[in-house]
Amino acid sequence: LPLLPALALALGPAAGRTRRPLALEALGEAEELAEELWGAGLPGDLPELEPECRRLLVAFAEGSAALTGCLGRRARPVRLCQACHRHYRRLLAQYGNIARAVGNSSESHNCAKSILTSDRLQIVVTLSEFFNETWEAANCANCLKNSSEGLSNSTVEFLDLFNKSLTCFEHNLQGQTIYLSPSNYTEVCKNCNETYKMLNDLYNNLQRMNRQGGESGHSAHLCIDVEDAMNITRKLWSRTFNCSVPCSDTVPVIAVSSFILFLPIVFYLSSFLHSKQKKRILILPKRIQSNASLVNIQEKYS
């Protein structure tokens, strides 16, 4: 369309009969030229990113897709931290490459500006903040080493005991569902008691470590993987199998409660034995004696 004035000037003056057909012909040629220009990518794809900026953006997009897929697949049962920490680290590095504007050339600085802050939506920044908030809400740092290169030793130990507990449950349930009622799981409770007790004790120790700042250096809740694994195990143990673990502090608690209960009895008994018993002495009032003597005097004179 911008070529129409130039084409009209090129036509020059013409007779009234031929001007209209020539104008229509020029319009058709201009439309064909515009279609060719748009088909070649101009100006529809402008402004275009530089090749280096496009490479950084594509890398971040692929990393976001990989992390999103991992989070979705590991949502239930929750295995986010142990399965997706490599994807998360890779995405952090890819975002850092964009935000730091790698290199000293003006092109690299244009990459950071054009990708992160060139529009109101800022989709790359929004995606990065979403992944960071999700990772922090899951407390994944408490499952990983300080460098986030892998699972901490305590987390590996816990997951190993967790898998052993599930294996014990499954092994003792095989072949018994036919002969036992759904509420009778005595074999599971008896044979898996030791493994479950070790798992529960380790979980409690991990909680104490995180309150004081453990291996990861973060004093917060345990990561979602460990919490979800323990919740699953406790529900199976208490609700499904109806098992119970005797409390190791039962005897001291009973002894202290009994001592406190008998303290008042001991106090009153000792007070009774060590107190002096006073004899009660009856003393007649003088007023009563004077009345008796007055009666005797009246009898004499009568």
Side-chain angles (χ1 to χ4, degrees):
L1 293 179
L3 298 176
L4 289 177
L7 291 173
L9 292 174
L11 292 174
R17 294 182 180 179
T18 59
R19 184 173 299 174
R20 188 175 183 83
L22 288 176
L24 293 175
E25 183 180 353
L27 180 60
E29 293 177 357
E31 290 177 351
E32 292 177 1
L33 180 59
E35 290 178 359
E36 292 178 0
L37 293 175
W38 280 87
L42 296 173
D45 292 338
L46 290 179
E48 183 67 31
L49 288 174
E50 296 293 336
E52 178 64 17
C53 302
R54 174 64 61 181
R55 185 187 66 80
L56 293 174
L57 182 59
V58 169
F60 180 84
E62 292 175 351
S64 300
L67 181 56
T68 301
C70 182
L71 295 177
R73 288 189 299 270
R74 302 293 181 172
R76 292 303 307 165
V78 181
R79 300 293 183 271
L80 305 182
C81 304
Q82 52 188 304
C84 304
H85 65 91
R86 292 184 180 87
H87 295 290
Y88 180 70
R89 286 181 57 212
R90 190 177 301 115
L91 187 69
L92 286 181
Q94 292 164 347
Y95 182 82
N97 291 338
I98 299 174
R100 288 193 302 268
V102 179
N104 297 323
S105 64
S106 59
E107 177 182 310
S108 62
H109 291 282
N110 290 333
C111 289
K113 182 178 180 181
S114 59
I115 294 176
L116 300 180
T117 60
S118 61
D119 56 81
R120 178 178 59 84
L121 187 58
Q122 299 181 4
I123 188 65
V124 174
V125 177
T126 302
L127 286 175
S128 178
E129 291 177 351
F130 166 75
F131 289 124
N132 290 333
E133 291 173 0
T134 302
W135 200 255
E136 291 175 3
N139 288 313
C140 289
N142 290 325
C143 280
L144 306 174
K145 298 177 181 178
N146 289 333
S147 57
S148 299
E149 294 179 353
L151 297 176
S152 62
N153 296 332
S154 57
T155 304
V156 173
E157 182 183 1
F158 175 85
L159 294 177
D160 182 60
L161 273 177
F162 171 69
N163 292 329
K164 287 181 179 179
S165 299
L166 295 185
T167 302
C168 182
F169 295 163
E170 183 179 4
H171 176 74
N172 286 274
L173 285 175
Q174 289 178 353
Q176 295 186 6
T177 55
I178 301 176
Y179 306 101
L180 297 177
S181 63
S183 60
N184 190 355
Y185 297 103
T186 54
E187 291 297 322
V188 177
C189 299
K190 181 177 67 175
N191 297 331
C192 302
N193 178 66
E194 187 64 26
T195 306
Y196 175 79
K197 187 175 182 300
M198 292 173 60
L199 180 69
N200 193 63
D201 291 342
L202 179 58
Y203 181 81
N204 294 332
N205 291 334
L206 290 177
Q207 282 186 318
R208 285 192 290 269
M209 288 174 57
N210 276 275
R211 294 192 189 101
Q212 301 171 358
E215 297 179 40
S216 61
H218 294 78
S219 57
H221 295 288
L222 295 175
C223 71
I224 190 63
D225 293 26
V226 173
E227 289 182 346
D228 185 71
M230 195 66 228
N231 288 338
I232 291 174
T233 311
R234 284 175 172 173
K235 287 179 181 178
L236 287 173
W237 184 259
S238 60
R239 297 182 184 180
T240 304
F241 305 140
N242 198 24
C243 301
S244 61
V245 177
C247 181
S248 58
D249 298 333
T250 301
V251 175
V253 169
I254 294 177
V256 173
S257 301
S258 302
F259 175 75
I260 295 175
L261 180 64
F262 282 100
L263 272 180
I265 300 175
V266 173
F267 173 76
Y268 285 112
L269 183 61
S270 61
S271 299
F272 175 77
L273 294 176
H274 292 83
S275 62
K276 293 181 179 181
Q277 301 297 320
K278 294 182 179 181
K279 295 181 179 181
R280 295 180 180 179
I281 301 174
L282 297 177
I283 301 176
L284 293 175
K286 293 181 179 181
R287 188 179 60 182
I288 297 177
Q289 292 178 355
S290 59
N291 291 336
S293 55
L294 179 61
V295 172
N296 293 333
I297 293 172
Q298 290 178 352
E299 289 179 351
K300 284 181 181 181
Y301 285 102
S302 61

